[in-house]
Amino acid sequence: DHHFLIQAGQSAPFGENLFGMKIGETRIFELPAPEGTEHAGKITAVQVTVTGITEKVPPTDSELAERTLAPSYDALVEMLKKKAELDAMQKIRQIMEEEVVDKLLEMHQFDAPPVWIEEEEKYFMKQFGMGDNKDDKIKEYIHKMAERNVRRSFMLEAIYEAEPALQVTKEEFDATIEAEAERAKVSRLILLDDLKKNNMLDGIVAMIKHKKVMDFIIGQANMIADDGTEIVSQECCDIPENPRSEERRVGKSV
């Protein structure tokens, strides 16, 4: 009674069993039950009926450019190239941030409030759709992630409070709102009104705080690559954060 869209070339367990089937045809084949299910690993009989077959025709270069509102195909290629470079920079920056934070947490040992860790665990369980999962290994992994997140929030907030130059200014807040409004193609006033209605203004401030603190930390860090050469910190593009998420983690330390 489940409906699936199977892409061409999809690998096991379904893909290779469907070749040659026609619309309306039913086929029964055996597969091992997926991991994480009650009968994981056991051979299960699966009945599949093909309800439709769709062929997707790739768009022409001009159609592709038109769909993305690019002035030309060459402009689209250049835009995609810049996006790929931006994505790579963001990936490197995120990895760098996490490694620096992990090192700082290792250097400065302190306990996090158990009630906050418990709250973070509940958040992860809800995000992962795990409900009341009783698997000890999963619970231990989630507990470690939750504890790290809470300690990370405390540490970043402590750095923010200790460095006057990191305080978020009205000019920085206004500039962020202007940039977000331009990206969303709405007026500044409409965006502000929407943020107020959704209680997200504090999240915007938390987002700015996060970037300023991480810029400061990375700027102070002495980073060495695997080959022994020193990594010179460079200004990176803004990494979009989820204002709700950042407010939830950092804002409650304020």
Side-chain angles (χ1 to χ4, degrees):
D1 296 328
H2 297 280
H3 293 259
F4 297 95
L5 176 64
I6 308 299
Q7 303 288 352
Q10 185 166 332
S11 58
F14 287 108
E16 74 279 11
N17 295 288
L18 304 179
F19 292 130
M21 292 184 68
K22 297 179 174 58
I23 295 177
E25 182 180 349
T26 296
R27 184 178 294 178
I28 298 177
F29 46 86
E30 294 185 337
L31 297 171
E35 292 297 325
T37 61
E38 181 182 357
H39 304 289
K42 294 183 179 179
I43 300 301
T44 307
V46 179
Q47 178 175 298
V48 174
T49 300
V50 177
T51 59
I53 299 175
T54 303
E55 180 182 8
K56 292 185 178 180
V57 180
T60 63
D61 291 351
S62 58
E63 289 174 338
L64 191 59
E66 185 177 344
R67 290 182 187 181
T68 57
L69 303 180
S72 67
Y73 179 74
D74 290 339
L76 174 62
V77 171
E78 186 63 26
M79 180 180 71
L80 293 176
K81 180 181 177 182
K82 288 181 178 180
K83 184 180 184 304
E85 292 173 350
L86 180 65
D87 290 344
M89 289 177 64
Q90 290 178 341
K91 183 72 172 179
I92 292 172
R93 168 67 179 226
Q94 288 169 339
I95 292 173
M96 190 181 298
E97 283 189 9
E98 293 307 307
E99 290 184 350
V100 170
V101 166
D102 282 341
K103 187 63 179 178
L104 283 173
L105 290 175
E106 178 186 327
M107 294 168 61
H108 302 280
Q109 295 295 325
F110 59 91
D111 294 329
V115 66
W116 283 24
I117 296 176
E118 183 179 348
E119 180 186 336
E120 193 76 357
E121 288 176 341
K122 291 178 180 177
Y123 171 79
F124 278 129
M125 295 290 279
K126 183 178 180 180
Q127 288 294 103
F128 298 154
M130 300 182 66
D132 297 324
N133 193 295
K134 303 300 183 182
D135 189 294
D136 290 338
K137 289 185 178 180
I138 293 177
K139 289 172 65 177
E140 180 183 0
Y141 176 71
I142 289 180
H143 177 78
K144 289 181 178 179
M145 285 199 305
E147 182 180 25
R148 178 190 180 277
N149 272 17
V150 174
R151 292 182 68 234
R152 176 180 184 270
S153 295
F154 266 97
M155 185 183 68
L156 296 183
E157 189 65 28
I159 294 172
Y160 177 80
E161 294 294 339
E163 297 291 333
L166 296 180
Q167 303 305 302
V168 177
T169 65
K170 181 179 183 302
E171 290 73 21
E172 289 171 331
F173 178 82
D174 289 341
T176 300
I177 293 297
E178 290 288 351
E180 289 296 321
E182 183 177 348
R183 181 164 60 181
K185 306 298 182 185
V186 297
S187 72
R188 178 178 181 277
L189 292 178
I190 291 178
L191 177 61
L192 278 172
D193 185 60
D194 184 59
L195 291 172
K196 288 178 182 177
K197 288 179 180 178
N198 291 284
N199 298 315
M200 293 178 67
L201 286 178
D202 288 344
I204 295 294
V205 175
M207 181 177 69
I208 301 171
K209 284 171 59 175
H210 173 86
K211 184 179 185 304
K212 292 187 73 173
V213 172
M214 292 310 308
D215 284 346
F216 173 78
I217 294 174
I218 291 178
Q220 300 293 317
N222 179 26
M223 294 172 285
I224 306 298
D226 291 338
D227 60 5
T229 59
E230 183 176 357
I231 300 175
V232 179
S233 178
Q234 297 179 347
E235 281 295 320
C236 186
C237 51
D238 291 345
I239 299 177
E241 297 280 350
N242 182 333
R244 291 184 185 275
S245 174
E246 198 58 36
E247 177 187 2
R248 185 183 63 79
R249 295 200 176 97
V250 179
K252 60 186 179 183
S253 304
V254 177

